[in-house]
Amino acid sequence: MMAANVAAGTPMSAHGRHDITIDTRPDTPQADQTDADALRRIAARDDDALRDVFTRHWTMVARAAFRITGDEEAARDAAQEAFIRLFRNPPAPEVSLRAWLCRTAANCASNDVRSGRRRAVREARRIDAGTSAFAPDGIAAANLRAEQALVRDVLKALPERARELLVLRAEGFRYHEIATALGVAPGSVGTLLTRAERSFREQYEARRGGA
């Protein structure tokens, strides 16, 4: 299973509505320059710059968090925390802002899940969702939820760096963007991704085989 297939991402608006567009992330030098300029303005405590970044990147950041949590409310909280951290301590302008935000949101989401703060709520929702699981459509939906939960559990069990690599690659980031966000050499990203994918695949197959 390759990084692009890691976890089902569900894009959300700032109000929790599902967006139809899967990936609206611009992938141009102009977009990179816009983000670099925004980082300089945010470092100067420009509220308008932060609002602009929030508007342009919210869906992508919330989706990255959702890959870890599988819970929309938790994903929104993690995404919001990422933007708060951006305003408090923005990265250097040469860092890929989009990748930095996704990495930060994914880590906030992972910390939230590990803390168990939302575990009871998620379990209650699973119980409610499972009440119709014996219907034909319910069986398929239950199987899909179980598969997605397994993928998220494997992601959460990976070392932080491996998890970050897979989430960023699944979001479609280029190698140099991943490199700047993680502080590694661009030439090493391919090797690191291969290792992360191998680790994911081994743990996934081990857990699936033991299920």
Side-chain angles (χ1 to χ4, degrees):
M1 182 174 295
M2 302 303 289
N5 295 322
V6 172
T10 302
M12 295 173 292
S13 72
H15 303 290
R17 293 186 297 270
H18 291 270
D19 293 329
I20 295 174
T21 303
I22 295 302
D23 190 3
T24 58
R25 181 179 63 85
D27 190 23
T28 66
Q30 290 82 1
D32 292 339
Q33 186 58 52
T34 297
D35 281 345
D37 291 343
L39 282 171
R40 295 185 184 93
R41 292 168 59 196
I42 290 171
R45 292 296 181 263
D46 186 331
D47 290 344
D48 289 338
L50 182 64
R51 279 191 287 270
D52 174 63
V53 168
F54 183 90
T55 299
R56 289 189 292 115
H57 298 320
W58 168 264
T59 296
M60 173 192 60
V61 177
R63 184 175 59 234
F66 186 84
R67 291 182 187 276
I68 303 298
T69 66
D71 178 84
E72 291 191 2
E73 183 180 356
R76 286 195 298 272
D77 287 349
Q80 289 168 2
E81 178 63 24
F83 284 100
I84 290 171
R85 294 187 183 189
L86 170 65
F87 191 69
R88 289 176 177 170
N89 189 25
E94 60 268 20
V95 172
S96 169
L97 173 57
R98 298 182 297 275
W100 186 93
L101 282 168
C102 283
R103 175 196 182 192
T104 302
N107 285 337
C108 288
S110 180
N111 291 337
D112 180 77
V113 168
R114 286 177 177 171
S115 73
R117 280 176 286 179
R118 299 186 182 275
R119 188 172 303 158
V121 174
R122 284 194 298 272
E123 291 301 324
R125 288 176 179 170
R126 290 189 185 116
I127 291 171
D128 291 340
T131 57
S132 61
F134 291 105
D137 290 344
I139 293 173
N143 288 338
L144 178 60
R145 286 195 301 272
E147 178 70 14
Q148 292 172 335
L150 174 60
V151 170
R152 287 192 295 269
D153 287 345
V154 173
L155 272 177
K156 288 178 284 190
L158 291 176
E160 182 177 289
R161 175 57 55 84
R163 183 174 61 250
E164 292 171 344
L165 282 159
L166 293 178
V167 169
L168 291 178
R169 190 57 178 164
E171 286 297 323
F173 286 103
R174 296 163 290 181
Y175 278 22
H176 82 268
E177 292 177 303
I178 295 174
T180 61
L182 300 185
V184 300
S188 69
V189 171
T191 299
L192 293 172
L193 269 171
T194 298
R195 293 174 183 169
E197 289 168 353
R198 183 186 305 118
S199 179
F200 177 92
R201 183 167 53 251
E202 289 172 352
Q203 292 199 40
Y204 174 86
E205 291 174 352
R207 290 178 182 234
R208 189 178 180 87

